Amino acid sequence: MANNTKGRRDFMGMALGGFTALGGIGALYAMKRSWDPLPSVKAAGFTTVDLSGAQENVLNVEKWRGKPIFVLKKSKDMKADDRDVVVGSDRFHVSIGLCTHLGCIPAYKADDHKFKCACHGGEFDASGHQIFGPPPSPLEVPPFKIDGTNLVLGEAGPEYKKMLDAGLTV
Ligand code: FES
């Protein structure tokens, strides 16, 4: 009788241990799955924007990795800048649309060729340089690549690397 009870206890202990081990493996597997990026996230790492239909002085706001991206085709009367993205004979301002003060999204004032941040009055010119108020630095240029008339956000092409090396992206 006593042996029987011990045997049952041993069996229960082994079974429980087995379940615990299985649970541990399951938990590890679940953790590994949560570390691996989902296929959709990988695909979402890049955003392709066709620039061929862009209109001068009209701001397009794209989305890349959850951030607003400003794409502004410059008109001839706007000053050229080393941070411009040049596609054929057109120049574009491309930046992450978050104010470098505390992260609000500035609005584009087409008549003034300026970005104005409503939070604390910061201003940026059409090349993204801070020109007024508390923003400490220009609007940041995201990694990009030019592919024909497409702008590929999230991939660092030679034009971006050149800007980065010259310290112009921030
Ligand atoms: S967040 Fe833009 S000026 Fe403060």
Side-chain angles (χ1 to χ4, degrees), residues 99 101-104 117 119-122 134-135:
C99 181
H101 180 220
L102 292 175
C104 293
C117 182
C119 288
H120 312 98

Side-chain angles (χ1 to χ4, degrees), residues 94-136:
V94 178
S95 64
I96 297 174
L98 298 173
C99 181
T100 52
H101 180 220
L102 292 175
C104 293
I105 301 176
Y108 184 61
K109 304 291 176 192
D111 290 347
D112 302 334
H113 296 177
K114 273 183 199 170
F115 294 93
K116 290 195 178 193
C117 182
C119 288
H120 312 98
E123 292 184 5
F124 302 85
D125 66 14
S127 302
H129 296 289
Q130 76 278 28
I131 49 172
F132 182 78

